């Protein structure tokens, strides 16, 4: 059916924009499925039947030849693009790659800086069409030749170098280049990259500060607001995160953004608003396991345990390997009164995620409630090793030790829980740990 429709389209000597778009979509289907040879054959056929329409496909053709390692044809296609004056950001990057392979390092430095200054985000996005190997080669050659630059050109080239490293997620080398260039060559995208790097290193306050500088430098993109919302959320500035997500949703609503705002409202314990957002996300895209998992979490917090169980089961069907889904389902089952089934899922969660503290804590709590204090101690010790700042674990561990007659150890953990803010531990310490024996009065006294 597609072949027949394509033939009809190709018979039109003057293709409309919608027809050209159709041809691009067909070519890109081949590319997305890795059928690069078929894509070049399709474009060559288009050129024979309608050369004007084929002009819009030349960048795709050059890219396919690059992927096929047919460098001669790729270069020839790029020359044709240049002669037609129809360059695209992607064809510019392919040309930059061949400048690098030709070892024309002066031109490499000049063109990379030009592309950076035209639009740093477009430069970054286009770089990602190249393989990591080719990007590393380009970065290494730029870095090796920076010393040959005039002093006033160094910072711009280091920034271009940083963008290349950023495109392959090499944040350490990106940071090294940026840290010595950002003051002398301050552009919004540099601050944005620093914000992303600081987020990766879990420095969320610093990350937010850099994102703010990017915004002040007029880098006001959806990616900025989305990434700043992430940094704010991880830094527990949930209201600030929602403000940024509101901006994103105003201009480009999507299932992912509604999901992210739902998780943030969940952190704020505003479960009604969270439920509204997650329902919207699922109405847009209902095959994402994480969305159903989040709805289950929200329903659990609302006390709607039956609905939560169904949500978690849906998430498991969509992705049986979803992180912590067994633990989440177990919590809902336990609250709904199905303790044995919950225990089974806690055990599955531990088997799948042996470093997840919550599942050990939950099983330890169940053992404690059943009076199996030795088993509780074993499980709660493991939970505390994995998360030594969770006061509930330390309180319950302290009480379990006291129940088996080990008051010294029990009081040690109760004091630890108290330091981490547990009021229950403070009361328990007064009962079990602050008692002193009655003084013995001798007959002589």
């Amino acid at each position: 059916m597609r072949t027949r429709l394509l033939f009809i389209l190709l018979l039109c000597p003057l293709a409309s924009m919608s027809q050209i778009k159709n041809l691009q979509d067909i070519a890109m289907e081949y590319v997305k499925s890795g059928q690069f040879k078929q894509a070049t054959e399709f474009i060559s056929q288009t050129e024979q039947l309608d050369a004007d329409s084929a002009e819009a496909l030349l960048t795709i053709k050059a890219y396919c030849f690059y992927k096929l390692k047919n460098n001669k044809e790729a270069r020839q296609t790029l020359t044709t693009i240049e002669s037609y004056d129809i360059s695209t950001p992607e064809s510019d990057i392919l040309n930059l790659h061949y400048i690098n392979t030709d070892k024309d390092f002066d031109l490499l430095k000049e063109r990379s800086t030009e592309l950076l200054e035209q639009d740093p985000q477009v430069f970054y996005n286009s770089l990602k069409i190249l393989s990591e190997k080719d990007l590393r080669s380009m970065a290494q050659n730029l870095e090796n030749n920076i010393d040959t630059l005039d002093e006033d050109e160094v910072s711009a080239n280091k920034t271009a170098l940083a963008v290349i490293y950023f495109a392959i997620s090499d944040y350490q080398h990106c940071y090294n280049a940026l840290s010595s260039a950002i003051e002398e060559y301050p552009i919004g995208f540099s601050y944005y990259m620093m914000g992303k790097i600081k987020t990766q290193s879990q420095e969320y306050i610093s990350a937010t500060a850099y994102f703010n500088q990017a915004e002040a430098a007029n880098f006001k993109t959806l990616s900025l607001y989305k990434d700043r919302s992430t940094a704010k959320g991880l830094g527990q500035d949930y209201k600030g995160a929602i403000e940024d997500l509101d901006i994103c949703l105003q201009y480009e609503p999507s299932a992912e953004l509604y999901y992210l705002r739902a998780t943030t409202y969940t952190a704020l314990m505003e479960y009604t608003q969270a439920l509204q957002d997650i329902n919207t996300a699922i109405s847009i895209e209902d095959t994402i396991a994480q969305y159903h998992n989040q709805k289950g979490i929200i329903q659990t917090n609302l006390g709607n345990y039956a609905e939560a169980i169904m949500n978690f089961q849906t998430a498991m069907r969509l992705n049986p390997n979803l992180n912590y889904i067994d633990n989440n389902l177990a919590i809902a089952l336990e609250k709904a009164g199905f303790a044995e089934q919950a225990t089974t899922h806690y055990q599955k969660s531990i088997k799948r995620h042996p470093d997840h503290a919550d599942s050990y804590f939950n099983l330890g709590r169940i053992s404690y409630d059943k009076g199996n204090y030795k088993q509780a101690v074993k499980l709660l010790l493991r939970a505390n090793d994995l998360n030594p700042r969770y006061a509930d674990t330390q309180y319950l561990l302290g009480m379990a030790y006291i129940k088996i007659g080990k008051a010294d150890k029990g009081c040690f953990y109760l004091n630890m829980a108290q330091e981490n803010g547990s009021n229950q531990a403070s009361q328990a310490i007064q009962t079990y740990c602050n008692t002193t024996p009655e003084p013995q009065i001798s007959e002589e006294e």
Side-chain angles (χ1 to χ4, degrees):
M1 190 68 182
R2 178 187 293 164
T3 303
R4 186 174 181 181
L5 174 63
L6 174 62
F7 182 70
I8 292 171
L9 286 170
L10 294 180
L11 288 178
C12 301
L14 295 174
S16 68
M17 288 302 296
S18 62
Q19 290 169 340
I20 291 173
K21 178 66 174 174
N22 195 334
L23 296 172
Q24 289 175 325
D25 289 343
I26 295 171
M28 285 306 299
E29 283 184 19
Y30 285 119
V31 172
K32 290 175 182 176
S33 62
Q35 301 180 70
F36 303 114
K37 183 178 180 181
Q38 291 88 333
T40 60
E41 292 171 351
F42 164 72
I43 295 170
S44 295
Q45 182 185 22
T46 306
E47 288 174 318
Q48 293 174 9
L49 295 170
D50 189 348
D52 290 337
S53 298
E55 284 185 11
L57 307 178
L58 288 176
T59 296
I60 300 174
K61 186 179 182 182
Y63 172 71
C64 289
F65 281 132
Y66 161 75
K67 294 295 288 184
L68 292 166
K69 301 187 186 306
N70 189 338
N71 296 316
K72 180 180 178 181
E73 291 291 346
R75 287 172 182 265
Q76 288 180 352
T77 306
L78 290 170
T79 299
T80 302
I81 290 171
E82 189 174 352
S83 67
Y84 288 166
D85 196 22
I86 53 171
S87 295
T88 65
E90 292 77 16
S91 65
D92 288 338
I93 293 301
L94 289 170
N95 271 314
L96 193 66
H97 161 66
Y98 288 114
I99 290 170
N100 180 60
T101 59
D102 290 342
K103 301 187 184 304
D104 189 344
F105 300 133
D106 288 337
L107 185 57
L108 176 65
K109 290 178 288 186
E110 178 184 337
R111 285 295 293 144
S112 61
T113 305
E114 286 177 1
L115 293 174
L116 170 74
E117 292 177 345
Q118 286 174 13
D119 191 322
Q121 188 171 28
V122 170
F123 179 46
Y124 160 70
N125 288 331
S126 303
L127 281 167
K128 292 188 288 186
I129 69 171
L130 300 179
S131 69
E132 179 176 345
K133 178 182 177 181
D134 289 337
L135 285 171
R136 285 198 179 278
S137 170
M138 189 182 298
Q140 192 63 59
N141 287 328
L142 272 177
E143 196 160 12
N144 290 342
N145 288 274
I146 279 179
D147 292 341
T148 64
L149 290 166
D150 293 337
E151 186 175 347
D152 60 345
E153 298 175 321
V154 171
S155 294
N157 268 265
K158 282 191 174 181
T159 304
L161 174 64
V163 175
I164 296 170
Y165 278 127
F166 193 63
I168 53 177
S169 302
D170 187 340
Y171 297 122
Q172 184 58 58
H173 281 96
C174 178
Y175 175 80
N176 292 342
L178 272 182
S179 60
S180 61
I182 197 167
E183 289 188 8
E184 293 183 10
Y185 192 79
I187 59 174
F189 195 72
S190 292
Y191 294 123
Y192 170 73
M193 287 190 289
M194 287 294 277
K196 290 279 284 185
I197 291 168
K198 293 296 183 179
T199 302
Q200 286 288 326
S201 60
Q202 301 181 5
E203 299 174 61
Y204 304 123
I205 295 175
S206 179
T208 300
Y210 276 114
F211 287 136
N212 291 343
Q213 286 182 279
E215 183 184 35
N218 210 34
F219 186 77
K220 300 177 180 180
T221 65
L222 289 176
S223 59
L224 168 71
Y225 294 113
K226 180 181 174 183
D227 290 327
R228 189 170 69 178
S229 76
T230 299
K232 287 179 177 179
L234 291 170
Q236 300 185 353
D237 177 11
Y238 301 121
K239 290 184 178 179
I242 287 173
E243 289 174 0
D244 281 337
L245 289 169
D246 287 345
I247 294 171
C248 295
L249 283 164
Q250 181 180 355
Y251 292 100
E252 193 175 287
S254 68
E256 181 190 16
L257 289 171
Y258 279 110
Y259 160 72
L260 290 173
R261 196 169 69 175
T263 63
T264 310
Y265 275 124
T266 303
L268 282 170
M269 296 187 287
E270 296 182 18
Y271 301 121
T272 301
Q273 185 61 53
L275 184 60
Q276 181 178 328
D277 274 353
I278 201 63
N279 281 336
T280 303
I282 291 172
S283 71
I284 297 170
E285 177 55 81
D286 65 355
T287 60
I288 306 298
Q290 191 62 57
Y291 297 175
H292 294 278
N293 176 66
Q294 186 63 33
K295 185 173 181 179
I297 293 171
I298 295 164
Q299 294 284 29
T300 300
N301 282 289
L302 286 169
N304 302 328
Y305 305 127
E307 290 89 342
I309 290 168
M310 288 189 292
N311 294 140
F312 291 133
Q313 288 173 336
T314 299
M316 291 183 78
R317 284 196 298 272
L318 291 169
N319 182 3
N321 297 316
L322 185 66
N323 283 345
Y324 314 123
I325 185 64
D326 281 295
N327 183 74
N328 294 343
L329 175 58
I331 291 171
L333 285 166
E334 186 183 355
K335 289 182 178 293
F338 301 103
E340 293 304 319
Q341 292 181 45
T343 298
T344 298
H345 282 284
Y346 284 135
Q347 290 168 341
K348 286 182 178 179
S349 182
I350 285 175
K351 186 175 181 180
R352 184 174 295 170
H353 303 290
D355 294 331
H356 187 220
D358 288 0
S359 298
Y360 289 99
F361 168 76
N362 288 323
L363 272 180
R365 176 177 44 74
I366 290 173
S367 296
Y368 182 91
D369 290 343
K370 288 181 176 180
N372 190 349
Y373 302 121
K374 288 185 177 180
Q375 180 67 12
V377 165
K378 180 180 177 181
L379 290 164
L380 293 168
L381 278 172
R382 179 61 175 153
N384 189 63
D385 286 343
L386 294 169
N387 183 3
R389 297 187 61 81
Y390 190 40
D392 286 353
T393 300
Q394 293 149 2
Y395 165 73
L396 208 57
L397 180 55
M399 292 303 299
Y401 269 123
I402 287 171
K403 293 292 186 181
I404 61 176
K406 296 185 178 181
D408 288 347
K409 288 187 176 181
C411 291
F412 172 81
Y413 284 104
L414 287 174
N415 277 287
M416 187 181 293
Q418 184 183 47
E419 290 174 5
N420 284 323
S422 171
N423 292 327
Q424 285 181 299
S426 300
Q427 296 171 2
I429 288 169
Q430 292 178 6
T431 302
Y432 299 105
C433 305
N434 289 338
T435 58
T436 56
E438 291 291 331
Q440 300 295 318
I441 302 175
S442 68
E443 293 183 359
E444 293 180 355
E445 294 176 330

